[in-house]
Amino acid sequence: RTARFGNALVRSGNLSLKQKRFEDDFSPIDSDCPCLTCKKYTRAYIHTLIARDETGCHLITIHNIAYQLNLMRRARESIIENRFPEFVQKFMLDMFGEDKRAYPKWMIDAFESVNIKF
């Protein structure tokens, strides 16, 4: 559903590839992502497709699924290595920045209920 609206998931949040600022951005959605979309297509190309063709949404979906799989792999590894609280803290910092007021309250409440503090 996220991709239908032109949003690509990245560590720092969402990229709304419908925005005009991406029309001349010839970088991949995420340079660290190994997915087919990031290897073969640019933000500018996907931006162009979004308004005209479902293919743009499909390319973003491929990326978003790869992002989510990688996120879950890293979360699972952090649990196995007994460092899940640190993983969550880094995730929140990457996603929302240093201003803890930007953290959604429901996330803070959920994590604090399992003794993960910010």
Side-chain angles (χ1 to χ4, degrees), residues 14-80:
N14 290 333
L15 289 180
S16 178
L17 295 173
K18 285 184 173 182
Q19 293 178 355
K20 186 169 176 56
R21 67 184 174 117
F22 292 110
E23 74 181 352
D24 294 319
D25 186 341
F26 297 101
S27 59
I29 293 173
D30 180 349
S31 59
D32 295 328
C33 180
C35 80
L36 178 69
T37 299
C38 290
K39 285 183 179 180
K40 291 192 165 206
Y41 301 99
T42 67
R43 293 174 178 185
Y45 180 70
I46 296 168
H47 168 82
T48 301
L49 288 177
I50 293 287
R52 301 179 192 168
D53 191 350
E54 282 185 22
T55 305
C57 297
H58 294 179
L59 292 173
I60 295 172
T61 297
I62 291 168
H63 165 77
N64 286 350
I65 291 170
Y67 170 86
Q68 291 173 347
L69 287 170
N70 184 46
L71 178 64
M72 292 302 104
R73 179 188 53 76
R74 292 185 298 120
R76 186 172 42 255
E77 287 171 358
S78 75
I79 292 167
I80 291 167

Side-chain angles (χ1 to χ4, degrees), residues 84-118:
F84 185 66
E86 294 83 5
F87 170 82
V88 170
Q89 291 163 345
K90 171 115 174 58
F91 172 82
M92 297 292 281
L93 185 64
D94 289 345
M95 184 67 69
F96 300 105
E98 292 190 27
D99 183 1
K100 292 183 169 80
R101 294 175 299 186
Y103 293 9
K105 182 166 178 9
W106 70 268
M107 290 180 84
I108 292 172
D109 293 344
F111 287 125
E112 286 183 352
S113 76
V114 293
N115 295 321
I116 297 175
K117 307 286 185 205
F118 297 99

